[in-house]
Amino acid sequence: MSRALRAVEPAESERFSVTFVPPSVQSIQALTELSGLSKTDVINRAVQIYAFLAGEMADGRQVLLRNEDGSLERVHIV
Protein backbone atom coordinates (compact mmCIF):
# COMPACT_ATOMS: atom_id res chain seq x y z
CA MET A 1 0.00 0.00 0.00
CA SER A 2 1.29 3.45 -0.80
CA ARG A 3 2.67 5.80 1.83
CA ALA A 4 -0.11 8.32 1.14
CA LEU A 5 -2.79 5.83 2.16
CA ARG A 6 -1.00 4.30 5.14
CA ALA A 7 -1.27 7.57 7.08
CA VAL A 8 -5.07 7.58 6.83
CA GLU A 9 -6.93 5.85 9.65
CA PRO A 10 -10.26 4.15 9.05
CA ALA A 11 -13.19 6.45 9.74
CA GLU A 12 -16.83 5.97 10.58
CA SER A 13 -19.41 6.64 7.90
CA GLU A 14 -19.91 10.33 7.36
CA ARG A 15 -22.50 12.29 5.42
CA PHE A 16 -21.36 15.06 3.07
CA SER A 17 -23.33 17.64 1.17
CA VAL A 18 -21.62 18.48 -2.11
CA THR A 19 -22.54 20.28 -5.30
CA PHE A 20 -21.41 18.59 -8.51
CA VAL A 21 -20.67 20.49 -11.71
CA PRO A 22 -22.65 19.43 -14.80
CA PRO A 23 -19.90 17.20 -16.30
CA SER A 24 -19.69 15.28 -13.00
CA VAL A 25 -23.47 14.92 -12.83
CA GLN A 26 -23.42 13.46 -16.34
CA SER A 27 -20.58 11.08 -15.44
CA ILE A 28 -22.37 9.90 -12.29
CA GLN A 29 -25.55 9.28 -14.28
CA ALA A 30 -23.65 7.39 -16.97
CA LEU A 31 -21.88 5.25 -14.37
CA THR A 32 -25.11 4.39 -12.55
CA GLU A 33 -26.64 3.28 -15.85
CA LEU A 34 -23.53 1.36 -16.91
CA SER A 35 -22.91 -0.36 -13.58
CA GLY A 36 -26.39 -0.65 -12.10
CA LEU A 37 -25.02 0.82 -8.87
CA SER A 38 -26.61 3.61 -6.88
CA LYS A 39 -25.25 7.16 -7.07
CA THR A 40 -23.88 6.73 -3.55
CA ASP A 41 -22.02 3.55 -4.50
CA VAL A 42 -20.66 5.13 -7.70
CA ILE A 43 -19.36 8.16 -5.80
CA ASN A 44 -17.89 6.03 -2.99
CA ARG A 45 -16.05 3.84 -5.51
CA ALA A 46 -14.82 6.87 -7.45
CA VAL A 47 -13.32 8.43 -4.31
CA GLN A 48 -11.64 5.15 -3.34
CA ILE A 49 -10.19 4.67 -6.82
CA TYR A 50 -8.93 8.25 -6.90
CA ALA A 51 -7.30 7.80 -3.46
CA PHE A 52 -5.62 4.59 -4.65
CA LEU A 53 -4.34 6.19 -7.86
CA ALA A 54 -3.15 9.34 -6.07
CA GLY A 55 -1.26 7.20 -3.57
CA GLU A 56 0.37 5.12 -6.27
CA MET A 57 1.40 8.23 -8.20
CA ALA A 58 2.76 9.77 -4.99
CA ASP A 59 4.98 6.68 -4.73
CA GLY A 60 6.35 7.38 -8.23
CA ARG A 61 4.22 4.93 -10.19
CA GLN A 62 2.50 5.69 -13.49
CA VAL A 63 -1.04 4.87 -14.56
CA LEU A 64 -1.00 3.05 -17.90
CA LEU A 65 -3.72 1.67 -20.16
CA ARG A 66 -3.02 -1.18 -22.52
CA ASN A 67 -4.70 -0.74 -25.89
CA GLU A 68 -6.14 -3.67 -27.84
CA ASP A 69 -3.01 -3.74 -30.01
CA GLY A 70 -0.83 -4.14 -26.89
CA SER A 71 0.55 -0.61 -26.93
CA LEU A 72 0.60 1.36 -23.69
CA GLU A 73 -0.82 4.80 -23.10
CA ARG A 74 0.04 6.86 -20.02
CA VAL A 75 -2.91 8.38 -18.19
CA HIS A 76 -2.35 11.88 -16.79
CA ILE A 77 -4.48 12.72 -13.76
CA VAL A 78 -4.24 16.35 -12.78
Side-chain angles (χ1 to χ4, degrees):
M1 185 177 292
S2 72
R3 65 172 175 238
L5 296 181
R6 281 189 291 246
V8 177
E9 294 184 25
E12 298 292 324
S13 294
E14 187 171 344
R15 183 177 296 270
F16 291 92
S17 176
V18 298
T19 301
F20 291 101
V21 296
S24 293
V25 172
Q26 292 170 346
S27 294
I28 291 166
Q29 183 63 36
L31 285 167
T32 60
E33 292 171 7
L34 184 66
S35 67
L37 297 171
S38 69
K39 290 178 184 178
T40 299
D41 288 337
V42 164
I43 294 165
N44 276 317
R45 287 182 181 199
V47 170
Q48 292 172 40
I49 291 167
Y50 180 60
F52 170 76
L53 293 174
E56 294 298 312
M57 290 183 302
D59 282 347
R61 293 181 183 85
Q62 296 179 352
V63 178
L64 303 171
L65 293 177
R66 184 179 311 277
N67 295 311
E68 289 181 356
D69 66 3
S71 64
L72 295 177
E73 184 175 345
R74 184 174 177 201
V75 177
H76 298 274
I77 301 174
V78 293

Coordinates of all heavy atoms in Angstrom, one line a residue:
M1 N 0.8 -1.2 0.0 CA 0.0 0.0 0.0 C 0.9 1.2 0.0 O 1.9 1.3 0.6 CB -0.9 0.0 1.2 CG -1.9 1.1 1.2 SD -3.0 1.1 2.6 CE -4.0 -0.4 2.3
S2 N 0.5 2.3 -0.7 CA 1.3 3.5 -0.8 C 1.4 4.2 0.5 O 0.6 4.1 1.4 CB 0.7 4.4 -1.9 OG -0.5 5.0 -1.4
R3 N 2.4 5.0 0.6 CA 2.7 5.8 1.8 C 1.6 6.8 2.1 O 1.2 7.1 3.2 CB 4.0 6.5 1.8 CG 4.1 7.5 0.7 CD 5.4 8.4 0.8 NE 5.4 9.2 -0.4 CZ 6.3 9.3 -1.3 NH1 7.3 8.5 -1.2 NH2 6.2 10.1 -2.3
A4 N 1.0 7.3 1.0 CA -0.1 8.3 1.1 C -1.3 7.7 1.8 O -2.0 8.4 2.6 CB -0.5 8.9 -0.2
L5 N -1.6 6.4 1.6 CA -2.8 5.8 2.2 C -2.5 5.2 3.5 O -3.4 5.1 4.3 CB -3.3 4.8 1.2 CG -3.9 5.3 -0.1 CD1 -4.4 4.1 -1.0 CD2 -4.9 6.3 0.1
R6 N -1.3 4.9 3.8 CA -1.0 4.3 5.1 C -1.3 5.3 6.3 O -1.6 4.9 7.4 CB 0.4 3.8 5.2 CG 0.7 2.5 4.5 CD 2.0 2.0 4.8 NE 3.0 2.9 4.1 CZ 3.8 2.5 3.1 NH1 3.8 1.2 2.7 NH2 4.6 3.3 2.5
A7 N -1.1 6.6 6.0 CA -1.3 7.6 7.1 C -2.7 7.8 7.4 O -3.0 8.4 8.5 CB -0.6 8.9 6.6
V8 N -3.7 7.3 6.6 CA -5.1 7.6 6.8 C -5.7 6.5 7.7 O -5.5 5.3 7.4 CB -5.8 7.7 5.5 CG1 -7.3 7.9 5.7 CG2 -5.2 8.8 4.6
E9 N -6.3 6.8 8.8 CA -6.9 5.9 9.6 C -8.4 5.6 9.2 O -9.0 6.5 8.7 CB -6.9 6.3 11.1 CG -5.5 6.4 11.7 CD -5.5 6.8 13.1 OE1 -6.5 6.6 13.8 OE2 -4.5 7.4 13.6
P10 N -8.9 4.4 9.4 CA -10.3 4.1 9.1 C -11.2 5.1 9.8 O -11.0 5.4 11.0 CB -10.5 2.7 9.5 CG -9.1 2.1 9.6 CD -8.2 3.3 10.0
A11 N -12.2 5.5 9.1 CA -13.2 6.4 9.7 C -14.6 5.8 9.7 O -14.9 4.9 9.0 CB -13.2 7.8 9.0
E12 N -15.4 6.4 10.6 CA -16.8 6.0 10.6 C -17.5 6.6 9.3 O -16.9 7.4 8.7 CB -17.5 6.5 11.8 CG -16.9 6.0 13.1 CD -17.2 4.5 13.3 OE1 -18.3 4.0 12.9 OE2 -16.3 3.9 13.9
S13 N -18.7 6.1 9.0 CA -19.4 6.6 7.9 C -19.7 8.1 8.2 O -19.9 8.5 9.4 CB -20.7 5.9 7.7 OG -20.5 4.6 7.3
E14 N -19.7 8.9 7.2 CA -19.9 10.3 7.4 C -20.7 10.8 6.2 O -20.5 10.4 5.0 CB -18.6 11.1 7.4 CG -18.7 12.5 7.8 CD -17.4 13.2 8.1 OE1 -16.4 12.5 8.3 OE2 -17.3 14.4 8.1
R15 N -21.6 11.7 6.5 CA -22.5 12.3 5.4 C -21.9 13.6 5.0 O -21.5 14.4 5.8 CB -23.9 12.5 6.0 CG -24.9 13.0 4.9 CD -26.3 13.2 5.5 NE -26.8 11.8 5.9 CZ -27.5 11.1 5.1 NH1 -27.8 11.5 3.8 NH2 -28.0 9.9 5.5
F16 N -21.9 13.8 3.7 CA -21.4 15.1 3.1 C -22.5 15.7 2.2 O -23.2 14.9 1.6 CB -20.1 14.8 2.2 CG -18.9 14.4 3.0 CD1 -18.6 13.1 3.2 CD2 -18.0 15.4 3.4 CE1 -17.5 12.7 3.9 CE2 -16.9 15.0 4.1 CZ -16.6 13.7 4.4
S17 N -22.5 16.9 2.1 CA -23.3 17.6 1.2 C -22.4 18.3 0.2 O -21.6 19.2 0.5 CB -24.2 18.7 1.9 OG -25.0 19.4 1.0
V18 N -22.5 17.9 -1.1 CA -21.6 18.5 -2.1 C -22.5 18.9 -3.3 O -23.5 18.4 -3.6 CB -20.5 17.5 -2.6 CG1 -19.6 17.1 -1.4 CG2 -21.2 16.2 -3.2
T19 N -21.9 19.8 -4.1 CA -22.5 20.3 -5.3 C -21.6 19.8 -6.4 O -20.5 20.2 -6.5 CB -22.7 21.8 -5.3 OG1 -23.5 22.2 -4.2 CG2 -23.4 22.3 -6.6
F20 N -22.2 19.1 -7.4 CA -21.4 18.6 -8.5 C -21.6 19.5 -9.7 O -22.7 20.0 -10.0 CB -21.8 17.2 -8.9 CG -21.4 16.1 -7.8 CD1 -22.3 15.7 -6.9 CD2 -20.1 15.7 -7.8 CE1 -21.9 14.7 -6.0 CE2 -19.7 14.8 -6.8 CZ -20.6 14.3 -5.9
V21 N -20.6 19.7 -10.5 CA -20.7 20.5 -11.7 C -21.3 19.6 -12.8 O -21.3 18.4 -12.7 CB -19.3 21.0 -12.2 CG1 -18.7 22.0 -11.1 CG2 -18.3 19.8 -12.4
P22 N -21.9 20.2 -13.8 CA -22.7 19.4 -14.8 C -21.9 18.2 -15.4 O -22.5 17.2 -15.5 CB -23.0 20.5 -15.9 CG -23.2 21.7 -15.0 CD -22.1 21.7 -14.0
P23 N -20.6 18.4 -15.8 CA -19.9 17.2 -16.3 C -19.8 16.0 -15.3 O -19.9 14.9 -15.7 CB -18.5 17.7 -16.6 CG -18.7 19.2 -16.8 CD -19.7 19.6 -15.8
S24 N -19.7 16.3 -14.0 CA -19.7 15.3 -13.0 C -21.1 14.6 -12.8 O -21.2 13.4 -12.7 CB -19.2 15.8 -11.7 OG -17.9 16.2 -11.7
V25 N -22.1 15.5 -12.9 CA -23.5 14.9 -12.8 C -23.7 14.0 -14.0 O -24.2 12.9 -13.8 CB -24.5 16.1 -12.9 CG1 -25.9 15.5 -13.0 CG2 -24.4 16.9 -11.6
Q26 N -23.3 14.3 -15.2 CA -23.4 13.5 -16.3 C -22.6 12.2 -16.2 O -23.1 11.1 -16.5 CB -23.0 14.2 -17.6 CG -23.9 15.3 -18.0 CD -23.4 16.2 -19.1 OE1 -22.2 16.1 -19.4 NE2 -24.2 17.1 -19.6
S27 N -21.4 12.3 -15.6 CA -20.6 11.1 -15.4 C -21.2 10.2 -14.4 O -21.2 8.9 -14.6 CB -19.2 11.5 -15.0 OG -18.5 12.2 -16.0
I28 N -21.7 10.7 -13.3 CA -22.4 9.9 -12.3 C -23.6 9.2 -12.9 O -23.8 8.0 -12.7 CB -22.8 10.8 -11.1 CG1 -21.5 11.3 -10.3 CG2 -23.7 10.0 -10.1 CD1 -21.8 12.4 -9.3
Q29 N -24.4 9.9 -13.7 CA -25.5 9.3 -14.3 C -25.1 8.2 -15.2 O -25.7 7.1 -15.2 CB -26.4 10.3 -15.0 CG -27.6 9.8 -15.7 CD -28.6 9.2 -14.6 OE1 -28.8 9.8 -13.6 NE2 -29.3 8.1 -15.0
A30 N -24.1 8.4 -16.0 CA -23.6 7.4 -17.0 C -23.1 6.2 -16.2 O -23.4 5.0 -16.6 CB -22.5 8.0 -17.9
L31 N -22.4 6.4 -15.1 CA -21.9 5.3 -14.4 C -23.0 4.5 -13.7 O -22.9 3.2 -13.6 CB -20.8 5.7 -13.3 CG -19.5 6.1 -13.9 CD1 -18.7 6.9 -12.9 CD2 -18.8 4.9 -14.4
T32 N -24.0 5.1 -13.2 CA -25.1 4.4 -12.5 C -25.8 3.5 -13.6 O -26.2 2.4 -13.3 CB -26.1 5.3 -11.9 OG1 -26.7 6.2 -12.8 CG2 -25.5 6.1 -10.7
E33 N -26.0 4.1 -14.8 CA -26.6 3.3 -15.9 C -25.8 2.1 -16.3 O -26.2 1.0 -16.5 CB -27.0 4.2 -17.0 CG -28.1 5.2 -16.7 CD -28.3 6.2 -17.8 OE1 -27.7 6.1 -18.9 OE2 -29.1 7.2 -17.5
L34 N -24.5 2.4 -16.4 CA -23.5 1.4 -16.9 C -23.3 0.2 -15.9 O -23.3 -0.9 -16.2 CB -22.2 2.0 -17.2 CG -21.1 1.2 -17.8 CD1 -21.5 0.7 -19.2 CD2 -19.8 1.9 -17.8
S35 N -23.2 0.6 -14.6 CA -22.9 -0.4 -13.6 C -24.1 -0.9 -12.9 O -24.0 -2.0 -12.3 CB -22.0 0.3 -12.5 OG -22.7 1.3 -11.8
G36 N -25.2 -0.2 -12.9 CA -26.4 -0.7 -12.1 C -26.3 -0.3 -10.6 O -27.1 -0.7 -9.8
L37 N -25.2 0.4 -10.3 CA -25.0 0.8 -8.9 C -25.8 2.1 -8.6 O -26.1 2.9 -9.5 CB -23.5 1.0 -8.6 CG -22.6 -0.2 -8.7 CD1 -21.2 0.3 -8.7 CD2 -22.9 -1.2 -7.7
S38 N -26.0 2.4 -7.3 CA -26.6 3.6 -6.9 C -25.6 4.8 -7.0 O -24.4 4.6 -7.1 CB -27.1 3.5 -5.4 OG -25.9 3.5 -4.6
K39 N -26.1 6.0 -7.0 CA -25.3 7.2 -7.1 C -24.3 7.2 -5.9 O -23.1 7.5 -6.1 CB -26.1 8.4 -7.1 CG -26.9 8.7 -8.3 CD -27.7 9.9 -8.2 CE -28.5 10.1 -9.5 NZ -29.4 11.3 -9.4
T40 N -24.8 6.8 -4.7 CA -23.9 6.7 -3.6 C -22.7 5.8 -3.8 O -21.6 6.1 -3.5 CB -24.7 6.3 -2.3 OG1 -25.7 7.3 -2.1 CG2 -23.8 6.2 -1.1
D41 N -23.1 4.6 -4.3 CA -22.0 3.6 -4.5 C -21.0 4.0 -5.6 O -19.8 3.8 -5.4 CB -22.6 2.2 -4.9 CG -23.3 1.5 -3.7 OD1 -23.0 1.8 -2.6 OD2 -24.2 0.7 -4.0
V42 N -21.5 4.6 -6.6 CA -20.7 5.1 -7.7 C -19.7 6.2 -7.1 O -18.5 6.1 -7.4 CB -21.5 5.7 -8.9 CG1 -20.6 6.6 -9.8 CG2 -22.2 4.6 -9.6
I43 N -20.2 7.1 -6.4 CA -19.4 8.2 -5.8 C -18.4 7.6 -4.8 O -17.2 8.0 -4.8 CB -20.2 9.3 -5.2 CG1 -21.0 10.0 -6.3 CG2 -19.4 10.3 -4.4 CD1 -22.2 10.8 -5.8
N44 N -18.8 6.7 -3.9 CA -17.9 6.0 -3.0 C -16.8 5.3 -3.7 O -15.6 5.4 -3.3 CB -18.6 5.0 -2.1 CG -19.3 5.7 -0.9 OD1 -18.7 6.5 -0.2 ND2 -20.5 5.3 -0.6
R45 N -17.1 4.6 -4.7 CA -16.0 3.8 -5.5 C -15.1 4.8 -6.2 O -13.9 4.6 -6.3 CB -16.7 2.9 -6.5 CG -17.3 1.7 -5.9 CD -17.9 0.7 -6.9 NE -18.5 -0.4 -6.2 CZ -18.7 -1.5 -6.8 NH1 -18.4 -1.7 -8.1 NH2 -19.3 -2.5 -6.1
A46 N -15.7 5.9 -6.8 CA -14.8 6.9 -7.5 C -13.8 7.5 -6.5 O -12.6 7.7 -6.8 CB -15.7 7.9 -8.1
V47 N -14.2 7.8 -5.3 CA -13.3 8.4 -4.3 C -12.2 7.4 -3.9 O -11.1 7.8 -3.8 CB -14.1 8.9 -3.1 CG1 -13.2 9.3 -2.0 CG2 -15.0 10.1 -3.5
Q48 N -12.6 6.2 -3.7 CA -11.6 5.1 -3.3 C -10.6 4.9 -4.5 O -9.4 4.8 -4.2 CB -12.4 3.9 -3.0 CG -13.2 4.0 -1.7 CD -14.0 2.7 -1.5 OE1 -13.6 1.6 -1.7 NE2 -15.2 3.0 -1.0
I49 N -11.1 4.9 -5.7 CA -10.2 4.7 -6.8 C -9.2 5.9 -7.0 O -8.0 5.7 -7.2 CB -11.0 4.4 -8.1 CG1 -11.7 3.1 -8.1 CG2 -10.1 4.5 -9.4 CD1 -12.7 2.9 -9.1
Y50 N -9.8 7.1 -6.8 CA -8.9 8.2 -6.9 C -7.9 8.2 -5.8 O -6.7 8.5 -6.0 CB -9.8 9.5 -6.8 CG -8.9 10.8 -6.9 CD1 -8.1 11.0 -8.0 CD2 -8.9 11.7 -5.9 CE1 -7.3 12.2 -8.1 CE2 -8.1 12.8 -5.9 CZ -7.3 13.1 -7.0 OH -6.6 14.2 -7.1
A51 N -8.3 7.9 -4.6 CA -7.3 7.8 -3.5 C -6.2 6.8 -3.8 O -5.0 7.0 -3.5 CB -8.0 7.5 -2.2
F52 N -6.6 5.6 -4.3 CA -5.6 4.6 -4.6 C -4.6 5.1 -5.7 O -3.4 5.0 -5.6 CB -6.3 3.3 -5.1 CG -5.4 2.3 -5.8 CD1 -4.6 1.5 -5.0 CD2 -5.3 2.2 -7.1 CE1 -3.7 0.6 -5.5 CE2 -4.4 1.3 -7.7 CZ -3.6 0.5 -6.9
L53 N -5.2 5.7 -6.8 CA -4.3 6.2 -7.9 C -3.4 7.3 -7.4 O -2.2 7.4 -7.7 CB -5.2 6.6 -9.0 CG -5.9 5.5 -9.8 CD1 -6.9 6.1 -10.8 CD2 -5.0 4.5 -10.4
A54 N -4.0 8.2 -6.6 CA -3.2 9.3 -6.1 C -2.0 8.8 -5.2 O -0.9 9.3 -5.3 CB -4.0 10.3 -5.3
G55 N -2.3 7.8 -4.4 CA -1.3 7.2 -3.6 C -0.2 6.5 -4.4 O 1.0 6.7 -4.1
E56 N -0.6 5.8 -5.4 CA 0.4 5.1 -6.3 C 1.2 6.1 -7.0 O 2.5 6.0 -7.1 CB -0.3 4.2 -7.3 CG -1.1 3.0 -6.6 CD -0.1 2.1 -5.9 OE1 0.9 1.7 -6.5 OE2 -0.4 1.7 -4.8
M57 N 0.6 7.2 -7.5 CA 1.4 8.2 -8.2 C 2.3 9.0 -7.2 O 3.5 9.3 -7.6 CB 0.5 9.2 -8.9 CG -0.2 8.6 -10.1 SD -1.3 9.7 -11.1 CE -2.4 10.2 -9.9
A58 N 1.9 9.1 -6.0 CA 2.8 9.8 -5.0 C 4.0 8.9 -4.7 O 5.0 9.4 -4.3 CB 2.0 10.0 -3.7
D59 N 3.9 7.6 -4.9 CA 5.0 6.7 -4.7 C 5.8 6.5 -6.0 O 6.7 5.7 -6.1 CB 4.5 5.3 -4.3 CG 4.1 5.2 -2.8 OD1 4.4 6.2 -2.1 OD2 3.5 4.2 -2.5
G60 N 5.5 7.4 -7.0 CA 6.3 7.4 -8.2 C 5.9 6.4 -9.3 O 6.6 6.3 -10.3
R61 N 4.7 5.8 -9.1 CA 4.2 4.9 -10.2 C 3.4 5.7 -11.2 O 3.0 6.8 -11.0 CB 3.3 3.8 -9.6 CG 4.1 2.9 -8.7 CD 3.2 1.8 -8.1 NE 4.0 1.0 -7.2 CZ 4.2 1.3 -5.9 NH1 3.7 2.4 -5.4 NH2 4.9 0.4 -5.2
Q62 N 3.3 5.1 -12.4 CA 2.5 5.7 -13.5 C 1.2 4.9 -13.7 O 1.2 3.7 -13.5 CB 3.3 5.7 -14.8 CG 4.5 6.6 -14.7 CD 5.3 6.5 -16.1 OE1 5.0 5.7 -16.9 NE2 6.3 7.3 -16.2
V63 N 0.2 5.5 -14.2 CA -1.0 4.9 -14.6 C -1.0 4.7 -16.1 O -0.8 5.6 -16.8 CB -2.3 5.7 -14.2 CG1 -3.6 5.0 -14.6 CG2 -2.3 6.0 -12.7
L64 N -1.1 3.4 -16.5 CA -1.0 3.0 -17.9 C -2.2 2.2 -18.3 O -2.7 1.4 -17.6 CB 0.3 2.2 -18.2 CG 1.6 2.8 -17.8 CD1 2.7 1.8 -17.9 CD2 1.9 4.1 -18.6
L65 N -2.7 2.5 -19.6 CA -3.7 1.7 -20.2 C -3.1 0.9 -21.3 O -2.3 1.4 -22.1 CB -4.9 2.6 -20.7 CG -5.7 3.3 -19.7 CD1 -6.7 4.2 -20.4 CD2 -6.4 2.3 -18.7
R66 N -3.5 -0.4 -21.4 CA -3.0 -1.2 -22.5 C -4.1 -1.2 -23.6 O -5.2 -1.6 -23.3 CB -2.7 -2.6 -22.1 CG -2.1 -3.5 -23.2 CD -1.8 -4.9 -22.7 NE -1.0 -4.9 -21.5 CZ 0.3 -4.8 -21.4 NH1 1.0 -4.6 -22.5 NH2 0.9 -4.8 -20.2
N67 N -3.8 -0.7 -24.8 CA -4.7 -0.7 -25.9 C -4.9 -2.2 -26.5 O -4.1 -3.1 -26.1 CB -4.2 0.2 -27.0 CG -4.2 1.6 -26.5 OD1 -5.2 2.1 -25.9 ND2 -3.1 2.3 -26.7
E68 N -5.9 -2.3 -27.3 CA -6.1 -3.7 -27.8 C -5.0 -4.2 -28.6 O -4.7 -5.4 -28.7 CB -7.4 -3.6 -28.7 CG -8.7 -3.5 -27.9 CD -9.9 -3.4 -28.8 OE1 -9.7 -3.5 -30.1 OE2 -11.0 -3.4 -28.3
D69 N -4.2 -3.3 -29.2 CA -3.0 -3.7 -30.0 C -1.8 -4.0 -29.1 O -0.7 -4.3 -29.6 CB -2.7 -2.7 -31.1 CG -2.2 -1.4 -30.5 OD1 -2.1 -1.2 -29.3 OD2 -2.0 -0.4 -31.3
G70 N -1.9 -3.9 -27.8 CA -0.8 -4.1 -26.9 C 0.0 -2.9 -26.5 O 0.8 -3.0 -25.6
S71 N -0.2 -1.8 -27.2 CA 0.5 -0.6 -26.9 C 0.0 0.0 -25.6 O -1.1 -0.2 -25.2 CB 0.4 0.4 -28.1 OG -0.9 0.8 -28.2
L72 N 0.9 0.7 -25.0 CA 0.6 1.4 -23.7 C 0.4 2.9 -23.9 O 1.1 3.5 -24.6 CB 1.7 1.1 -22.6 CG 1.9 -0.3 -22.2 CD1 3.1 -0.4 -21.3 CD2 0.7 -0.9 -21.6
E73 N -0.5 3.4 -23.1 CA -0.8 4.8 -23.1 C -0.8 5.3 -21.7 O -1.5 4.7 -20.8 CB -2.2 5.1 -23.7 CG -2.6 6.5 -23.9 CD -3.9 6.6 -24.6 OE1 -4.3 5.7 -25.3 OE2 -4.4 7.7 -24.6
R74 N 0.0 6.3 -21.4 CA 0.0 6.9 -20.0 C -1.2 7.8 -19.8 O -1.5 8.6 -20.6 CB 1.3 7.7 -19.8 CG 1.5 8.2 -18.4 CD 2.8 8.8 -18.2 NE 2.9 9.3 -16.9 CZ 3.7 10.3 -16.4 NH1 4.5 10.8 -17.3 NH2 3.6 10.7 -15.2
V75 N -1.8 7.6 -18.6 CA -2.9 8.4 -18.2 C -2.4 9.5 -17.3 O -1.7 9.2 -16.3 CB -4.0 7.5 -17.4 CG1 -5.1 8.4 -16.9 CG2 -4.4 6.4 -18.3
H76 N -2.7 10.7 -17.6 CA -2.3 11.9 -16.8 C -3.5 12.3 -16.0 O -4.6 12.7 -16.5 CB -1.9 13.1 -17.7 CG -0.7 12.7 -18.5 ND1 0.6 12.9 -18.0 CD2 -0.5 12.2 -19.7 CE1 1.5 12.5 -18.9 NE2 0.8 12.1 -20.0
I77 N -3.4 12.3 -14.7 CA -4.5 12.7 -13.8 C -4.0 14.0 -13.1 O -3.0 14.0 -12.4 CB -4.8 11.6 -12.7 CG1 -5.3 10.4 -13.4 CG2 -5.9 12.1 -11.8 CD1 -5.5 9.2 -12.5
V78 N -4.7 15.1 -13.3 CA -4.2 16.4 -12.8 C -5.2 16.8 -11.7 O -6.3 16.4 -11.6 CB -4.1 17.4 -13.9 CG1 -3.0 17.1 -14.8 CG2 -5.4 17.6 -14.7

